[in-house]
Amino acid sequence: MATKRPKAKPAPEPAVIPLTPEAPFVMLGLREDNPRDFLAALGVLRMATDLWPESAPRLSWTSDGHPILHVDCPLPETWPHEIWQNLMNMAASPLSPFRHGKIETLSPETVRNLLQSPEEMQRFQSRFYPALCGQINYEKGGKRSHLIIESANRSVLNGTRDLLVDPRFVPELGADLTGVSGLAEVSNTPRWHPSEAQSAAYSAADPKDSKLMDRRSLNVLALAGLTFYPVVDGANRRETLGTSRQPGEDRAFSWPIFGHALDCDSLATLLHDRSLHAKEPNASELRKRGVRTAWRSRRFNLNQNDYFSPADPLL
């Protein structure tokens, strides 16, 4: 008599998370002083805006430092699942924006062709490709975004694609954003989370004795958040909007925290305000623009690897 095989467990139903004008969504799993979390919040706003523009998604921050997603019209109750599914669909398509491997290997001609191709330039790609790298090679300067860290054995795009094309990894995104999901070991990350640098870990324990545990989906959302920070080509060098470098100092990434809800366009204007990126930001001018506080994280080298430091308050 043939042995009966156990039936495969059905895939769990996507969690129901209401998001209405009367009930905005607070992302308690993200904190304002973490550069990775800030980028992830931007990624949520970007994806929600691309999928449901009629709902006019907007972003603000609570007084204790967590992002809030607002809408004018209710979103589908499975909206976090639909955001992740849309990212998976993009990754599986022949024109996946995550298919290019190491960003540094993209030639200027390839970048220009991507920007000129109507097939390539969908809503997300039109902002994503300019955030990866410039169109000009610079001697000893490369061409990729200053926010992107790559090395010989790791790639931001490869790490993102690996998560999105793995059918076994479909996170409960709502739980990740609210911080109630479990942590998992992470690798091949963008290194935007300060705890990835051993000397900058938040934990009191020695980081070398434990694996880095995190919510992997947040790194994917943070990559989507890069769409707010294009690379700008200049005559002698490239610049990544949102970053700055003072003589004798490491390059820094600065970001504002605000209490009023902003859409993508309004937020992009605030993110690139010159007052924010000065060596000593003008607190009075920034507060006139609705900035409650601001943070700055520096890119630094440790053990021949680059990381982003814990953020310092600017206001």
Side-chain angles (χ1 to χ4, degrees), residues 249-289:
E249 297 182 0
D250 294 318
R251 181 166 291 274
F253 171 44
S254 306
W255 63 95
I257 300 300
F258 41 91
H260 50 292
L262 298 177
D263 62 19
C264 284
D265 291 339
S266 300
L267 178 53
T269 300
L270 181 60
L271 294 178
H272 304 148
D273 192 297
R274 293 172 65 94
S275 301
L276 177 65
H277 304 286
K279 184 174 183 178
E280 296 182 5
N282 188 318
S284 176
E285 289 299 318
L286 287 172
R287 290 201 168 99
K288 289 178 184 177
R289 293 161 173 75

Side-chain angles (χ1 to χ4, degrees), residues 40-279:
L42 297 186
V44 172
L45 177 64
R46 177 67 75 196
M47 299 310 302
T49 301
D50 285 357
L51 288 172
W52 303 286
E54 69 283 353
S55 293
R58 301 179 308 284
L59 187 72
S60 70
W61 293 79
T62 66
S63 59
D64 57 349
H66 302 292
I68 314 171
L69 186 63
H70 306 257
V71 291
D72 283 350
C73 306
L75 296 192
E77 291 188 331
T78 57
W79 64 270
H81 177 80
E82 294 189 35
I83 284 177
W84 190 263
Q85 190 63 52
N86 182 61
L87 287 164
M88 290 180 66
N89 292 342
M90 283 198 291
S93 71
L95 298 179
S96 167
F98 313 115
R99 74 186 188 278
H100 299 285
K102 289 188 70 63
I103 297 167
E104 196 68 10
T105 64
L106 289 177
S107 68
E109 292 75 17
T110 299
V111 178
R112 282 193 287 271
N113 288 337
L114 291 171
L115 295 175
Q116 293 170 357
S117 169
E119 292 80 13
E120 291 274 1
M121 297 306 289
Q122 304 303 314
R123 182 176 294 175
F124 179 77
Q125 285 91 318
S126 66
R127 298 180 178 90
F128 184 60
Y129 287 137
L132 294 183
C133 55
Q135 300 180 59
I136 302 175
N137 275 320
Y138 300 97
E139 184 179 358
K140 298 181 181 180
K143 60 182 181 296
R144 67 172 176 247
S145 166
H146 288 112
L147 287 169
I148 292 176
I149 297 172
E150 288 193 332
S151 59
N153 60 354
R154 58 183 304 283
S155 162
V156 173
L157 291 188
N158 284 341
T160 299
R161 184 192 60 216
D162 291 347
L163 290 177
L164 291 172
V165 301
D166 184 353
R168 298 167 299 176
F169 180 67
V170 181
E172 182 46 66
L173 193 57
D176 283 357
L177 292 171
T178 52
V180 299
S181 60
L183 302 178
E185 183 179 339
V186 297
S187 60
N188 202 15
T189 69
R191 290 188 186 152
W192 293 318
H193 196 309
S195 67
E196 298 194 48
Q198 291 186 0
S199 65
Y202 294 135
S203 171
D206 190 342
K208 71 180 181 181
D209 296 331
S210 60
K211 300 291 185 180
L212 177 63
M213 307 296 286
D214 196 11
R215 296 181 173 91
R216 291 177 285 178
S217 66
L218 301 184
N219 288 323
V220 178
L221 292 173
L223 186 63
L226 280 193
T227 55
F228 284 89
Y229 295 104
V231 178
V232 179
D233 284 308
N236 301 311
R237 62 179 183 178
R238 77 194 188 285
E239 285 294 336
T240 302
L241 298 186
T243 73
S244 60
R245 186 175 183 274
Q246 303 296 331
E249 297 182 0
D250 294 318
R251 181 166 291 274
F253 171 44
S254 306
W255 63 95
I257 300 300
F258 41 91
H260 50 292
L262 298 177
D263 62 19
C264 284
D265 291 339
S266 300
L267 178 53
T269 300
L270 181 60
L271 294 178
H272 304 148
D273 192 297
R274 293 172 65 94
S275 301
L276 177 65
H277 304 286
K279 184 174 183 178

